[in-house]
Amino acid sequence: MRRLAARGAAGDAGEVAAPAADSSDSAQGRSPSSWRLIDLCAIWDAGVYLPSAAWNGASSGVARRRLNEAERLSSVREAQLKRLKVTRPRVLGSREQGQVPRMARQPLPPWVHAAFLLCLLSLGGAIEIPMDLTQPPTITKQSVKDHIVDPRDNILIECEAKGNPAPSFHWTRNSRFFNIAKDPRVSMRRRSGTLVIDFRSGGRPEEYEGEYQCFARNKFGTALSNRIRLQVSKSPLWPKENLDPVVVQEGAPLTLQCNPPPGLPSPVIFWMSSSMEPITQDKRVSQGHNGDLYFSNVMLQDMQTDYSCNARFHFTHTIQQKNPFTLKVLTNHPYNDSSLRNHPDMYSARGVAERTPSFMYPQGTASSQMVLRGMDLLLECIASGVPTPDIAWYKKGGDLPSDKAKFENFNKALRITNVSEEDSGEYFCLASNKMGSIRHTISVRVKAAPYWLDEPKNLILAPGEDGRLVCRANGNPKPTVQWMVNGEPLQSAPPNPNREVAGDTIIFRDTQISSRAVYQCNTSNEHGYLLANAFVSVLDVPPRMLSPRNQLIRVILYNRTRLDCPFFGSPIPTLRWFKNGQGSNLDGGNYHVYENGSLEIKMIRKEDQGIYTCVATNILGKAENQVRLEVKDPTRIYRMPEDQVAKRGTTVQLECRVKHDPSLKLTVSWLKDDEPLYIGNRMKKEDDSLTIFGVAERDQGSYTCVASTELDQDLAKAYLTVLGRPDRPRDLELTDLAERSVRLTWIPGDDNNSPITDYVVQFEEDQFQPGVWHDHSKYPGSVNSAVLRLSPYVNYQFRVIAVNEVGSSHPSLPSERYRTSGAPPESNPGDVKGEGTRKNNMEITWTPMNATSAFGPNLRYIVKWRRRETREAWNNVTVWGSRYVVGQTPVYVPYEIRVQAENDFGKGPEPESVIGYSGEDLPSAPRRFRVRQPNLETINLEWDHPEHPNGIMTGYTLKYVAFNGTKVGKQIVENFSPNQTKFTVQRTDPVSRYRFTLSARTQVGSGEAVTEESPAPPNEAYTNNQADIATQGWFIGLMCAIALLVLILLIVCFIKRSRGGKYPVREKKDVPLGPEDPKEEDGSFDYSDEDNKPLQGSQTSLDGTIKQQESDDSLVDYGEGGEGQFNEDGSFIGQYTVKKDKEETEGNESSEATSPVNAIYSLA
């Protein structure tokens, strides 16, 4: 967790915001917060610098990563203040506030000193005369000294100035008056001296090149601009040339010269191929600062492309391309074998002789170089040699300036920025390889164009006062100083008894109104010049206030602030401060008054709130202004977000609870990595927290809670660490190349906060499965180099995957390829099988060998087979695939099978035999299927295996069903293992019998089935016979005989009836006659012999014909309700009964017929 705090200053319409200190921080032992301020000056207090003010953020004392430290510079500040007292500053500073933290010391960056000087100037700097007062001209804007323009645009030369009265302008060109009115293309902007040269109507911009100077004049003097050198940008075409191929021996050095056409400004040079592909540069091949392309040693692969120098011109935005160079490399090893590119002894492997280094640029062992102060120094050393030399830099008698020195172009260049005189001396570069080393010494001389020590400032005096203008500059060589007045040399100006020139100083005594003028100081040497304008103005002005009246300034409690009171007057007024109308002057203790009149309150307290009055007084009068000060409580984050570590996909909550002054509006916002945070749909921002749902790797970073009001702000920072998958490894390199091994080295990627546990090395080959990656080996996460075992005749390419607890990285970019030499196979294919797909064949299959086991080209397989235990000759065939089908085989017989690998280098080892089988068929029926019933509850089944299984038995299928007469139950199916030959059925119905069907199975299917039935239960034989009597053969025969007898009886009865008479009938009857039957008491029937009476059993139809009735002696009618049964010998012992139901339904339609049985008895 990090605690940051900042206080901002803001204000409008006279309102000024001031920073605050956190009293509770001090009370609790925490370092006070640092504040964000608007003005650079407000970040200083008694020499304490707070960098956070410029960086819009700061860190508290409890922060783990401090962003703000300070160093006391009181001695520097005092020296500057003493120097500023000489110039008698009398204006006003801006409104600024700060605080007094205790900060750790640190070296200050150079720009801080400039900020400090600006701050001091605001407290007592250059004098500004209000524009409503008369004053000489002052140049406010001008073009740069070296002004390069685009020839396609109009030319603009700027010159603006202020003064009262407003100044007029004129120009010189090449030190001669430039008459603008005579040139229609040239005009001057209104109320300005800016020149505009218009080419829309024609003209050549080059005609206007030269040195221009602007003069701004009013009745009080003349101010001058710098001498502006106008140049038109140029981008000349490349000269046409035909370049012959460059012939070079492999290993020799080579320089391809660019020689770009001269341009203004100089073009940017870069090298590409003619197809606009960038030339890859490294320590062996690189571009020099002069634009040439240097090869420390040429290799065969360098001729794979051509080389074209390109020049990009800034103003025209054009790129010009030189005709390309082509290389022809002579070599002792004509094959560009990729396997040698990273060979540890690549040069000797390619027959290239090794050489000691020698310098290609600069030539020789020593050279010299001059650089101007403030510019960049660029030193360059490019060396040739085999192997490619390494470059190192040193300074004689000291160390390289670490804060300004950096290495470029693969250490071939040393750049030192912002050179000063201390950087002069001797530098040397050391080029070394394993064959030796050489060095080149560069003597550096630092010269300097003039630079200011004391630049002259405007001088405002009252009549009779004394003053001075100082123009002090330095340079190498020492610059000369020339004074001018109103643009003319001081020597040719009218004499002035009140003015005295003493070298670089002009002294004025008892000045009068006539002394008003603009003075120019020109200091120059051979490397440049400086020109400064400073006017002398003599005024009688009573005091006046320059800031708005009755300002309201709100400040934060316990902070430091400064109340400003800008004023002007001549002579210089004196300024005093009062609070709440009290008569005592505020100075000393908690108050400090600067020379410009600003009142500093070192630590604001509640009692400091009130109205402050500043009063400026000189001999001509006085002026006063009031400032109302309000004190507010500071904004403070009292519960800060904590550093957190989270896995991807989890939820994180960052707290931020704030206390603030209730009269101020509070705004809470969040920053991520110091940039405003976009609150997306995965985030939820509340008043006191920020929640992140489904944390992703992109969410990692610093989160800053910013609690701000219009006066101040407090910041608290926490860092969210997201555990993610590692980044991919990079820069794979193959070394130690051997017949069957290679060393693979890689650079690990970022572990993304979760340590790498493993590296997985994968390979790809381009013959068998191009584009398919296979795992090769696995290594601990602590290594980044491994020796890989390789197989013969494989064109390897490797990549590496990093693994941590979160997951796996993306694969690295693949390495270059490396091919191993071939050899006979050392193994044979695996998983050899022989199985029939039909009953008369056998298919031999195997797993084909992969690229790492092929060991050579044209991998094939020798397939051999023969019937097992027959000792017959082996059959063989050569196959390129992974299967072979043997035809015309017996059903399911064993075979010996062998499969041997072979390539162009030879055969693999002798393979072992594998037993396979030809195709299967349906099995025969199971043997000796037995059904036994030991009791009424169970039935036992037993069987033997089929005589001809015709394959591998997969089991048995038993189907059985219960039946009882014509009634059949639901069929049940049971499947058994091939080893099972017994099964017991539990009877659920003690009456029914069971029918069983059993078949054997192979992989082809179920074979022939055998069927058996269970025996009938002994105590139920009669019931079953009676139930099934209608289906017995003997019963059918008996019924036929009875039918025949009945027919004979009917014939006899018919004959008897036709004769008439009565016939005796047996008294014994099986079925009694009905009450309506006509009979005699003696038991005899009385048959009528009337011709019109139909026979018993027939009826008369409507037409008088006789219709035969249904027979009364149906077997069904006789069998119902009977008690007849069969004896054990099969004889019938039952009786038939006469059916009555039919007689009752017929009524009186017919008379009762004689029972057939009785008729038979009567006949008997």
Side-chain angles (χ1 to χ4, degrees):
M1 181 279 300
R2 263 169 270 189
R3 171 75 185 274
L4 306 178
R7 302 290 185 265
D12 56 2
E15 176 178 322
V16 177
D22 193 336
S23 61
S24 61
D25 282 351
S26 302
Q28 298 177 15
R30 295 197 292 258
S31 299
S33 303
S34 309
W35 317 123
R36 176 185 181 275
L37 307 176
I38 287 181
D39 199 302
L40 286 173
C41 300
I43 64 176
W44 292 89
D45 174 65
V48 178
Y49 166 62
L50 306 178
S52 62
W55 296 336
N56 297 335
S59 171
S60 75
V62 299
R64 295 176 183 169
R65 301 174 180 86
R66 296 183 180 272
L67 302 178
N68 307 306
E69 298 180 54
E71 180 183 63
R72 293 191 174 274
L73 300 174
S74 56
S75 58
V76 177
R77 184 179 181 184
E78 290 175 1
Q80 295 292 342
L81 286 174
K82 288 179 181 178
R83 182 178 299 167
L84 289 172
K85 286 180 181 180
V86 178
T87 65
R88 298 193 304 164
R90 52 178 93 174
V91 268
L92 46 267
S94 60
R95 301 178 297 273
E96 303 133 351
Q97 298 82 30
Q99 72 164 134
V100 189
R102 296 183 179 181
M103 308 295 286
R105 298 178 176 231
Q106 69 172 12
L108 294 178
W111 66 269
V112 174
H113 298 284
F116 178 57
L117 293 176
L118 289 174
C119 176
L120 294 176
L121 289 175
S122 72
L123 298 178
I127 299 174
E128 295 288 339
I129 301 177
M131 287 304 299
D132 62 332
L133 299 179
T134 60
Q135 55 186 288
T138 300
I139 299 292
T140 58
K141 188 177 184 180
Q142 58 184 317
S143 295
V144 295
K145 293 179 181 179
D146 291 316
H147 188 32
I148 302 175
V149 296
D150 191 334
R152 299 170 299 180
D153 299 333
N154 293 336
I155 295 176
L156 203 69
I157 309 176
E158 291 183 313
C159 178
E160 296 183 7
K162 66 177 182 177
N164 190 2
S168 61
F169 299 88
H170 74 271
W171 287 83
T172 63
R173 178 185 176 194
N174 298 328
S175 301
R176 303 180 67 178
F177 175 73
F178 183 43
N179 193 342
I180 298 173
K182 290 185 177 182
D183 194 332
R185 296 191 187 93
V186 183
S187 62
M188 190 182 299
R189 286 181 176 175
R190 186 181 179 186
R191 297 179 182 176
S192 168
T194 297
L195 288 181
V196 179
I197 306 175
D198 192 344
F199 296 102
R200 287 179 295 183
S201 58
R204 297 178 64 251
E206 291 80 4
E207 296 176 355
Y208 292 88
E209 290 185 326
E211 188 177 76
Y212 292 78
Q213 192 168 27
C214 174
F215 293 76
R217 175 178 298 165
N218 67 10
K219 67 180 181 179
F220 300 114
T222 303
L224 279 63
S225 72
N226 290 322
R227 297 187 296 274
I228 302 169
R229 183 185 178 190
L230 178 66
Q231 294 176 284
V232 178
S233 173
K234 298 177 178 62
S235 54
L237 297 176
W238 221 298
K240 296 293 184 181
E241 55 183 341
N242 294 322
L243 301 175
D244 296 328
V246 179
V247 181
V248 61
Q249 183 70 38
E250 186 173 19
L254 175 64
T255 302
L256 299 181
Q257 295 183 346
C258 181
N259 296 326
L264 185 68
S266 298
V268 176
I269 304 300
F270 57 95
W271 286 80
M272 304 185 77
S273 67
S274 58
S275 59
M276 302 306 290
E277 293 291 333
I279 300 300
T280 302
Q281 300 189 28
D282 51 27
K283 73 174 185 177
R284 184 179 67 86
V285 181
S286 63
Q287 176 185 321
H289 184 63
N290 60 1
D292 294 346
L293 188 65
Y294 293 90
F295 295 76
S296 295
N297 52 76
V298 175
M299 299 302 295
L300 184 62
Q301 65 261 26
D302 295 333
M303 64 185 293
Q304 294 179 355
T305 185
D306 54 11
Y307 301 85
S308 178
C309 183
N310 296 262
R312 185 175 72 243
F313 294 90
H314 172 68
F315 280 93
T316 59
H317 302 289
T318 58
I319 296 177
Q320 296 189 27
Q321 188 177 50
K322 186 176 183 177
N323 287 342
F325 293 94
T326 58
L327 300 186
K328 182 178 180 181
V329 181
L330 306 178
T331 179
N332 297 325
H333 197 295
Y335 300 105
N336 187 19
D337 193 343
S338 63
S339 64
L340 299 178
R341 190 169 298 176
N342 288 318
H343 196 280
D345 201 3
M346 176 182 63
Y347 295 99
S348 62
R350 297 194 55 81
V352 178
E354 296 178 335
R355 295 181 292 104
T356 57
S358 61
F359 283 108
M360 305 174 69
Y361 181 87
Q363 300 288 334
T365 60
S367 60
S368 63
Q369 192 166 332
M370 188 273 289
V371 63
L372 292 180
R373 180 181 183 270
M375 305 297 287
D376 285 358
L377 170 64
L378 183 66
L379 305 178
E380 192 171 33
C381 281
I382 301 176
S384 65
V386 178
T388 304
D390 295 314
I391 306 294
W393 290 90
Y394 305 91
K395 183 179 182 182
K396 186 176 181 179
D399 297 329
L400 296 175
S402 59
D403 57 334
K404 300 191 297 179
K406 61 180 180 179
F407 301 104
E408 299 177 352
N409 198 18
F410 308 99
N411 271 24
K412 298 177 185 180
L414 170 65
R415 181 182 297 274
I416 300 176
T417 58
N418 192 25
V419 171
S420 61
E421 287 79 357
E422 294 80 8
D423 296 320
S424 60
E426 289 189 355
Y427 296 80
F428 66 90
C429 59
L430 183 69
S432 61
N433 63 11
K434 67 178 182 178
M435 301 301 294
S437 63
I438 58 170
R439 77 176 189 172
H440 182 95
T441 302
I442 305 174
S443 178
V444 175
R445 295 173 293 117
V446 178
K447 299 293 185 178
Y451 56 92
W452 291 117
L453 297 178
D454 280 310
E455 183 178 2
K457 301 292 187 300
N458 295 335
L459 186 62
I460 302 173
L461 301 173
E465 283 191 316
D466 299 339
R468 64 177 61 193
L469 292 176
V470 179
C471 177
R472 187 172 295 120
N474 197 5
N476 188 5
K478 182 74 176 177
T480 59
V481 175
Q482 178 189 13
W483 284 100
M484 294 181 289
V485 58
N486 296 326
E488 300 292 335
L490 192 62
Q491 296 83 355
S492 59
N496 186 344
N498 298 328
R499 180 180 63 207
E500 178 184 350
V501 178
D504 57 10
T505 303
I506 299 179
I507 302 172
F508 299 92
R509 295 185 177 89
D510 192 20
T511 56
Q512 301 301 319
I513 298 296
S514 59
S515 299
R516 292 182 295 187
V518 181
Y519 289 84
Q520 288 85 33
C521 174
N522 185 80
T523 175
S524 62
N525 64 12
E526 61 187 77
H527 302 298
Y529 75 93
L530 293 173
L531 176 66
N533 291 278
F535 64 72
V536 175
S537 183
V538 181
L539 296 172
D540 270 335
V541 179
R544 60 165 62 182
M545 294 296 170
L546 303 180
S547 62
R549 302 185 64 83
N550 301 320
Q551 293 183 74
L552 170 64
I553 299 179
R554 299 184 297 173
V555 297
I556 299 300
L557 182 66
Y558 300 117
N559 202 6
R560 184 193 68 181
T561 192
R562 192 173 68 242
L563 306 181
D564 293 325
C565 183
F567 64 94
F568 183 81
S570 182
I572 301 172
T574 58
L575 188 77
R576 293 184 298 170
W577 283 89
F578 305 93
K579 179 184 178 184
N580 296 330
Q582 297 179 359
S584 58
N585 182 34
L586 297 177
D587 196 6
N590 197 34
Y591 302 100
H592 177 73
V593 179
Y594 290 96
E595 288 194 16
N596 70 342
S598 295
L599 173 66
E600 180 186 69
I601 305 176
K602 298 178 180 179
M603 180 175 287
I604 292 292
R605 298 161 298 184
K606 285 289 186 180
E607 53 266 29
D608 292 324
Q609 184 167 288
I611 297 176
Y612 291 79
T613 304
C614 61
V615 179
T617 306
N618 67 6
I619 60 175
L620 300 177
K622 71 175 182 177
E624 66 178 44
N625 199 357
Q626 289 185 342
V627 177
R628 183 160 61 92
L629 184 67
E630 291 184 357
V631 180
K632 303 294 183 180
D633 291 328
T635 302
R636 186 171 67 86
I637 299 174
Y638 67 91
R639 181 167 293 179
M640 298 160 284
E642 299 286 340
D643 290 349
Q644 296 193 40
V645 177
K647 288 186 177 181
R648 289 189 306 169
T650 58
T651 299
V652 171
Q653 186 177 60
L654 302 173
E655 282 192 305
C656 183
R657 299 192 178 183
V658 185
K659 291 175 62 178
H660 70 290
D661 193 293
S663 65
L664 303 176
K665 181 181 178 180
L666 175 68
T667 301
V668 178
S669 60
W670 288 85
L671 307 177
K672 182 181 183 294
D673 298 328
D674 300 327
E675 296 292 335
L677 175 65
Y678 170 72
I679 306 297
N681 55 8
R682 292 188 305 106
M683 297 185 182
K684 181 179 180 182
K685 175 181 171 294
E686 297 178 317
D687 292 340
D688 57 359
S689 66
L690 174 69
T691 304
I692 306 175
F693 303 96
V695 170
E697 292 178 3
R698 64 179 179 273
D699 296 324
Q700 177 168 300
S702 62
Y703 288 81
T704 306
C705 176
V706 182
S708 58
T709 65
E710 56 265 41
L711 294 185
D712 66 342
Q713 67 179 17
D714 194 9
L715 296 87
K717 179 179 288 189
Y719 196 88
L720 174 61
T721 301
V722 179
L723 302 181
R725 298 184 304 171
D727 292 344
R728 67 173 67 184
R730 57 185 178 87
D731 298 343
L732 272 63
E733 184 179 10
L734 298 179
T735 57
D736 300 346
L737 306 177
E739 286 286 330
R740 297 291 180 268
S741 67
V742 67
R743 177 174 289 278
L744 176 64
T745 305
W746 62 89
I747 296 177
D750 193 336
D751 62 6
N752 289 327
N753 311 308
S754 180
I756 296 174
T757 57
D758 298 289
Y759 287 104
V760 177
V761 177
Q762 296 182 327
F763 75 92
E764 180 261 353
E765 52 81 28
D766 58 2
Q767 182 178 358
F768 288 87
Q769 292 180 296
V772 178
W773 290 89
H774 309 274
D775 288 348
H776 182 281
S777 48
K778 189 175 182 180
Y779 300 96
S782 58
V783 304
N784 69 326
S785 181
V787 176
L788 309 180
R789 300 299 172 189
L790 308 180
S791 297
Y793 200 71
V794 179
N795 195 17
Y796 281 101
Q797 192 176 32
F798 299 99
R799 70 182 187 184
V800 182
I801 298 175
V803 182
N804 63 11
E805 290 185 357
V806 180
S808 299
S809 71
H810 293 294
S812 68
L813 296 178
S815 69
E816 58 186 338
R817 290 196 177 273
Y818 175 63
R819 180 183 290 279
T820 54
S821 58
E826 295 182 358
S827 62
N828 290 309
D831 197 22
V832 178
K833 297 178 181 179
E835 297 176 343
T837 58
R838 297 181 180 178
K839 64 182 180 180
N840 60 348
N841 76 359
M842 177 178 64
E843 182 181 56
I844 303 174
T845 60
W846 57 91
T847 301
M849 300 169 66
N850 56 29
T852 59
S853 56
F855 285 22
N858 293 324
L859 178 66
R860 50 200 179 270
Y861 305 97
I862 302 173
V863 181
K864 299 179 181 180
W865 72 94
R866 69 179 181 184
R867 290 188 62 173
R868 186 180 184 186
E869 299 177 354
T870 60
R871 299 301 180 184
E872 63 183 17
W874 287 92
N875 301 285
N876 67 81
V877 67
T878 300
V879 180
W880 272 261
S882 60
R883 62 184 291 270
Y884 180 74
V885 178
V886 180
Q888 302 303 319
T889 61
V891 175
Y892 198 67
V893 296
Y895 282 84
E896 292 182 84
I897 302 171
R898 295 180 181 177
V899 180
Q900 184 179 26
E902 182 183 25
N903 62 23
D904 287 355
F905 290 94
K907 296 181 179 180
E910 193 65 27
E912 295 182 358
S913 295
V914 175
I915 304 301
Y917 286 84
S918 59
E920 300 182 16
D921 200 357
L922 298 176
S924 62
R927 295 180 297 166
R928 299 183 60 199
F929 184 31
R930 286 93 67 190
V931 179
R932 295 186 177 90
Q933 183 171 311
N935 51 53
L936 295 178
E937 286 79 19
T938 60
I939 300 175
N940 294 332
L941 308 179
E942 294 184 9
W943 63 90
D944 293 340
H945 296 299
E947 182 178 2
H948 302 291
N950 293 333
I952 300 175
M953 292 286 296
T954 60
Y956 294 92
T957 299
L958 174 66
K959 301 177 181 178
Y960 62 95
V961 61
F963 66 92
N964 186 354
T966 58
K967 297 181 180 179
V968 180
K970 182 179 179 181
Q971 181 175 271
I972 300 175
V973 180
E974 298 282 354
N975 290 310
F976 308 123
S977 67
N979 297 325
Q980 185 171 346
T981 58
K982 295 182 180 181
F983 182 66
T984 299
V985 177
Q986 299 294 328
R987 293 172 61 100
T988 58
D989 180 4
V991 176
S992 301
R993 299 175 62 194
Y994 287 83
R995 184 178 297 114
F996 299 93
T997 302
L998 180 67
S999 61
R1001 300 193 311 271
T1002 63
Q1003 294 180 355
V1004 178
S1006 297
E1008 181 183 355
V1010 59
T1011 301
E1012 293 290 343
E1013 294 183 354
S1014 64
N1019 57 346
E1020 298 178 3
Y1022 174 76
T1023 303
N1024 289 338
N1025 287 337
Q1026 186 180 20
D1028 296 337
I1029 190 170
T1031 62
Q1032 299 299 315
W1034 60 267
F1035 179 74
I1036 295 174
L1038 176 62
M1039 291 299 103
C1040 290
I1042 294 174
L1044 181 60
L1045 292 176
V1046 170
L1047 180 59
I1048 295 172
L1049 176 61
L1050 291 175
I1051 293 173
V1052 172
C1053 291
F1054 181 76
I1055 294 173
K1056 291 287 187 180
R1057 183 177 181 182
S1058 65
R1059 293 179 180 177
K1062 296 182 181 179
Y1063 302 89
V1065 182
R1066 285 184 180 266
E1067 294 181 357
K1068 182 177 180 181
K1069 296 182 181 179
D1070 293 328
V1071 180
L1073 297 175
E1076 299 175 358
D1077 292 337
K1079 61 180 180 177
E1080 300 294 335
E1081 294 181 359
D1082 57 354
S1084 63
F1085 287 93
D1086 184 12
Y1087 285 94
S1088 172
D1089 57 351
E1090 296 179 2
D1091 293 336
N1092 59 348
K1093 188 176 182 178
L1095 295 174
Q1096 181 71 23
S1098 66
Q1099 74 181 52
T1100 305
S1101 65
L1102 294 174
D1103 57 359
T1105 61
I1106 297 175
K1107 187 177 179 181
Q1108 181 66 39
Q1109 291 265 2
E1110 292 180 1
S1111 175
D1112 285 336
D1113 53 352
S1114 166
L1115 295 179
V1116 177
D1117 293 337
Y1118 290 113
E1120 285 185 359
E1123 299 297 332
Q1125 59 182 353
F1126 291 92
N1127 292 329
E1128 292 181 359
D1129 59 354
S1131 60
F1132 184 76
I1133 60 174
Q1135 296 180 352
Y1136 284 100
T1137 60
V1138 179
K1139 187 171 182 179
K1140 298 181 180 179
D1141 296 338
K1142 190 170 183 179
E1143 298 174 357
E1144 294 172 356
T1145 58
E1146 291 179 353
N1148 298 322
E1149 292 181 2
S1150 64
S1151 60
E1152 182 180 357
T1154 305
S1155 171
V1157 178
N1158 294 337
I1160 294 174
Y1161 287 151
S1162 300
L1163 293 174

